Amino acid sequence: MRHLRALVAGLLTVSLAFAPRPAAAQPRTLTPADLFDLEYVAEPAISPDGEWIVYVRRWSDRATDRRYGNLWIVRSDGTGHRPLTTGRTIESAPVWSPDGSRLAFVSTRGGTPQLWVRWMDRGDELPLTHGAEAPSAPAWSPDGRQLAFLQLVRTPPLVIGTPLTPPPGATWAAPPKYTDRLVFRQDQIGELPTGFVHAFVIPADGGTPRQITRGDYHHGGNVYGGGAVTWSADGAELVLAARRGDNPEWNARETDLFAFDVTNGQMRRLTERFGPDQSPAVSPDGRWIAYTSFDDRRQGYQNTQLHLMARDGSGMRVLSAKLDRSVSAPVWSSDGRAIYVQVDDEGNTKVARFSLEGDFEYVARNLGSGTSAYSGGSFSVARDGRLVVTASTPSMPSELVLVTPRPARGGTTVAPRTLTAINHDVLNGKTLGAVEEIWYTSAKDGRRVQGWIIKPPGFAPDRKYPLILEIHGGPFANYGDRFDEEKQLMAAAGYVVLYTNPRGSTSYGEEFGNLIHHAYPGDDFDDLNSGVDAVIAKGYVDPQHLFVTGGSGGGVLTAWMIGRTNRFRAALAFYPVINWESFVLTADMSSMAVNNWFPGFPWDHPENYAKRSLLSVVEQVRTPTLIMTGEEDFRTPMSESEQYYKALKMRGVETVLVRVPDEPHGIRRYPSHEAAKITTLVGWFAKHRATVP
């Protein structure tokens, strides 16, 4: 899987600048080249009997500079670990048939993503779809005879007037692009095709897909299409979220739940309120539908709650009222007496099991994607209640862990079992930076703030180290005790790294999240600055060698920090927002920004936009600053970075603008570009870092 491992990407590693140490004390550490070798588990699917787990194993290829994903399988006791698919393809969305004999998944083999079925006893495989559009979210019917999925149905693109036709043999330029949509391009996708996402069903042994939903609406639940679909217990209906309300582009959060008759497409509306009704899960007996939702009050952050209603939409009630946290991804237990959901709690992602009376307990923890300290990961539940999760800890990038919940009535507790070790070869013999949790008080109001410190490999408490404050984006997101490849590389370069969850971060309840409602950036400065002071007070950080960085919302706060203090020797803002007025008029999330992050339009509230603009503090900036953004970033468009770069340049501040070709938000499409983020950061900070004894 790791093709051409022996080749060393010298240009990626040469810029690492380690603090001086005695030769004998130098441990082997991660390097940017290791980004090609780290692998990640994703989308686990445990078989109905709990004996086998199929998952997506994500990997990077040096030869093509691309990321791929293949299907692997492992027994629940950790044996029999092997690939089901191989090659430079992307497999996703594995789902077992109800009897466990077959597996449905989506694969890019042959070029265009298609829906496939695999017979698990013989290994035979069959492509079910053959169209030009990619299917997604496959779901088996209860009897295993059909599969439902979501797929784009294109409509003709808009054209005004009658365009000329090129003469035979002529080569003309590409025609103009017309649009009358609010959102016409999206980050990670690019130019959005014209059309709408609809639900289909197809025989599981091959046949012709049949469209179930109709109309000029997106079905599935995501903001601009895609999402999930589920079957009623009797197989008569498909239940899914849809964006069928008024002005769905403007009301970006608004979705409702509907049931569609599989035979004739007849629609039943199940919910009708302003807010995101999402992720329906039908109980095994067919009587109840669990789902996630909240009444949208136009706040920046609100807890997403677990709801329950009867199949006809009556009797709605909130099950998670006792939990001041957001929930996601509901899954029923096989006996219909409990619902499992994913929860972020103080920087740790967990699985909670709710009774139908609203009581809950945590049954698994440490979920994560493995790539970063952001929340993420996923889980799958077998009929006997065993769970498999994608787990990540500060020292473990990404592995499968089997969890056997504590018996309801006594019995022996079974310890979680780690089933895979896919990164043992990369990490064996290398020293990671040790991660320490920290709680401190904000100078703003004495509020407690949680954070984590990564110490350089070979850390010596009697030395003085430079410090990097790394700030998360979102801003409504959370960091936690999860492996973070980029921060580990910063630590490997000889820095103490501090990352925190300032006010506005999720996983601490609704009140904490909304401390930045219509006031971001703002008092988060004090939360972050107080964190730096708390680490300095530990005695091993040189206060003359402080650096700051962050991406997206973290890029915003990087610019906010250096506009409020000159304590940092250098800064690196990854894909920031600088001018909120231009942002809400150009970004792919314009409507949500206006509706939820601001009190209204910029021309109606110019003072609010102006005081939160990073241009309002640019006159105070003295810190050498590098800005790095992808040229295909439609979330925080390149024009934002260019504004900041030119403002600093005209003011005479030392600054560099880095434009990364073919990269959307996050700069992770190509492994070499992700590595370039770190080599650029280390090089920029090294340029402004004096020798530390």
Side-chain angles (χ1 to χ4, degrees):
M1 181 172 290
R2 296 188 174 101
H3 305 280
L4 305 179
R5 183 190 297 279
L7 293 179
V8 178
L11 291 177
L12 300 181
T13 58
V14 69
S15 63
L16 277 178
F18 292 93
R21 301 186 182 93
Q26 292 184 359
R28 290 181 60 225
T29 63
L30 285 178
T31 70
D34 290 324
L35 292 175
F36 279 95
D37 295 329
L38 289 168
E39 296 181 274
Y40 302 97
V41 301
E43 301 183 79
I46 192 167
S47 61
D49 62 7
E51 293 305 307
W52 291 96
I53 298 99
V54 171
Y55 70 96
V56 177
R57 184 163 173 165
R58 294 176 178 165
W59 58 284
S60 301
D61 180 47
R62 277 186 169 83
T64 60
D65 195 17
R66 289 284 190 173
R67 303 184 192 276
Y68 301 102
N70 300 131
L71 298 181
W72 282 62
I73 190 168
V74 62
R75 287 186 183 273
S76 58
D77 62 3
T79 64
H81 191 205
R82 63 187 187 275
L84 293 180
T85 67
T86 59
R88 295 187 179 103
T89 61
I90 300 175
E91 269 89 37
S92 62
V95 57
W96 292 87
S97 63
D99 64 1
S101 66
R102 290 161 293 167
L103 187 79
F105 59 96
V106 176
S107 176
T108 62
R109 65 185 72 174
T112 305
Q114 303 296 341
L115 179 60
W116 288 70
V117 167
R118 178 187 179 96
W119 280 259
M120 300 304 288
D121 57 348
R122 303 189 307 269
D124 297 333
E125 294 183 339
L126 172 70
L128 293 185
T129 61
H130 306 275
E133 306 301 333
S136 64
W140 289 90
S141 63
D143 61 8
R145 295 181 178 180
Q146 300 182 87
L147 279 156
F149 62 94
L150 300 171
Q151 190 174 69
L152 176 72
V153 177
R154 287 186 181 258
T155 57
L158 176 68
V159 176
I160 304 297
T162 304
L164 298 179
T165 301
T171 302
W172 284 16
K177 299 176 181 179
Y178 301 81
T179 189
D180 58 0
R181 295 178 293 173
L182 175 63
V183 180
F184 52 88
R185 60 189 181 190
Q186 184 178 347
D187 195 68
Q188 306 292 335
I189 297 176
E191 298 288 334
L192 287 174
T194 54
F196 297 92
V197 173
H198 286 285
F200 291 77
V201 296
I202 190 171
D205 56 0
T208 301
R210 184 164 53 87
Q211 185 175 335
I212 303 300
T213 61
R214 305 284 174 178
D216 291 345
Y217 306 99
H218 284 306
H219 297 80
N222 284 359
V223 176
Y224 304 123
V229 59
T230 189
W231 291 78
S232 61
D234 58 8
E237 292 181 312
L238 300 182
V239 182
L240 65 160
R243 313 184 64 76
R244 299 179 67 98
D246 295 334
N247 200 355
E249 283 193 303
W250 178 245
N251 296 310
R253 283 180 170 177
E254 165 66 0
T255 56
D256 286 294
L257 298 183
F258 299 84
F260 295 87
D261 189 289
V262 174
T263 302
N264 56 27
Q266 184 175 347
M267 181 182 76
R268 291 192 303 116
R269 191 183 191 110
L270 298 174
T271 64
E272 188 171 5
R273 64 169 177 183
F274 189 72
D277 297 330
Q278 297 272 13
S279 305
V282 179
S283 63
D285 62 8
R287 296 175 57 201
W288 305 100
I289 300 174
Y291 63 102
T292 62
S293 183
F294 60 82
D295 290 306
D296 193 348
R297 302 190 300 274
R298 299 291 198 190
Q299 291 182 183
Y301 176 74
Q302 291 180 231
N303 279 341
T304 300
Q305 298 177 311
L306 177 63
H307 287 67
L308 188 68
M309 64 179 171
R311 178 176 175 173
D312 62 2
S314 64
M316 297 182 187
R317 56 193 173 98
V318 178
L319 288 188
S320 61
K322 298 177 182 178
L323 177 65
D324 185 21
R325 300 287 187 270
S326 283
V327 306
S328 63
V331 176
W332 284 87
S333 63
S334 61
D335 60 8
R337 299 172 60 183
I339 302 167
Y340 298 86
V341 292
Q342 197 159 311
V343 180
D344 288 343
D345 177 41
E346 294 189 349
N348 190 275
T349 304
K350 305 173 181 178
V351 177
R353 182 172 57 195
F354 277 84
S355 72
L356 302 192
E357 290 72 43
D359 298 318
F360 73 94
E361 63 175 334
Y362 290 120
V363 295
R365 56 180 293 119
N366 296 331
L367 276 70
S369 68
T371 59
S372 77
Y374 283 109
S375 63
S378 55
F379 71 98
S380 179
V381 185
R383 286 177 181 155
D384 62 6
R386 286 182 290 177
L387 303 91
V388 63
V389 305
T390 60
S392 178
T393 68
S395 60
M396 183 179 72
S398 180
E399 304 293 351
L400 288 181
V401 172
L402 183 75
V403 178
T404 302
R406 178 174 55 83
R409 297 181 179 180
T412 303
T413 299
V414 179
R417 179 196 296 269
T418 302
L419 303 178
T420 58
I422 64 174
N423 289 299
H424 175 74
D425 55 343
V426 181
L427 300 181
N428 187 33
K430 293 187 177 180
T431 303
L432 297 174
V435 179
E436 172 190 340
E437 182 182 13
I438 181 176
W439 287 83
Y440 60 92
T441 58
S442 171
K444 172 63 183 179
D445 51 14
R447 193 175 297 270
R448 295 180 75 235
V449 178
Q450 187 180 24
W452 291 265
I453 302 166
I454 307 180
K455 299 171 183 176
F459 174 79
D462 57 342
R463 293 186 54 207
K464 295 286 188 180
Y465 293 88
L467 178 136
I468 295 175
L469 169 64
E470 205 280 341
I471 310 171
H472 76 60
F476 301 106
N478 72 85
Y479 273 159
D481 52 350
R482 312 172 184 101
F483 184 84
D484 191 302
E485 54 196 20
E486 294 180 6
K487 293 179 185 56
Q488 282 288 343
L489 288 169
M490 296 177 197
Y495 294 86
V496 169
V497 182
L498 170 67
Y499 60 99
T500 75
N501 283 334
R503 65 191 63 211
S505 300
T506 56
S507 79
Y508 302 92
E510 192 166 297
E511 188 265 346
F512 188 85
N514 268 303
L515 289 173
I516 61 171
H517 180 58
H518 292 176
Y520 167 83
D523 295 338
D524 22 26
F525 168 84
D526 294 293
D527 295 355
L528 294 163
N529 207 43
S530 295
V532 173
D533 291 339
V535 180
I536 291 174
K538 291 180 175 291
Y540 49 75
V541 165
D542 184 344
Q544 301 304 312
H545 289 83
L546 307 178
F547 301 86
V548 60
T549 188
S552 191
V556 172
L557 289 174
T558 295
W560 190 243
M561 297 298 289
I562 61 177
R564 301 280 298 275
T565 179
N566 294 318
R567 75 187 305 187
F568 299 101
R569 293 182 73 96
L572 198 161
F574 290 106
Y575 29 92
V577 174
I578 298 301
N579 182 339
W580 291 108
E581 291 191 15
S582 58
F583 169 72
V584 301
L585 296 175
T586 58
D588 66 354
M589 54 179 293
S590 300
S591 59
M592 193 177 76
V594 172
N595 285 325
N596 300 100
W597 291 7
F598 286 88
F601 294 112
W603 46 86
D604 292 329
H605 302 274
E607 298 85 2
N608 187 280
Y609 281 79
K611 73 179 181 180
R612 296 162 62 180
S613 168
L614 282 304
L615 298 178
S616 70
V617 294
V618 73
E619 189 175 357
Q620 285 77 252
V621 176
R622 303 289 185 272
T623 307
T625 303
L626 185 146
I627 309 107
M628 188 173 188
T629 302
E631 291 186 328
E632 291 188 10
D633 191 328
F634 302 128
R635 183 62 42 83
T636 57
M638 175 60 72
S639 59
E640 295 297 311
S641 296
E642 291 175 351
Q643 289 181 66
Y644 196 51
Y645 168 72
K646 291 193 175 183
L648 294 176
K649 198 73 175 174
M650 288 188 286
R651 288 202 58 258
V653 177
E654 182 184 355
T655 184
V656 171
L657 176 66
V658 182
R659 303 171 60 179
V660 189
D662 303 318
E663 280 289 348
H665 199 61
I667 312 182
R668 290 197 77 253
R669 175 177 287 169
Y670 299 96
S672 66
H673 286 164
E674 184 186 10
K677 292 172 64 178
I678 299 302
T679 58
T680 301
L681 178 145
V682 171
W684 181 247
F685 288 174
K687 178 181 179 182
H688 298 92
R689 170 179 161 185
T691 301
V692 182

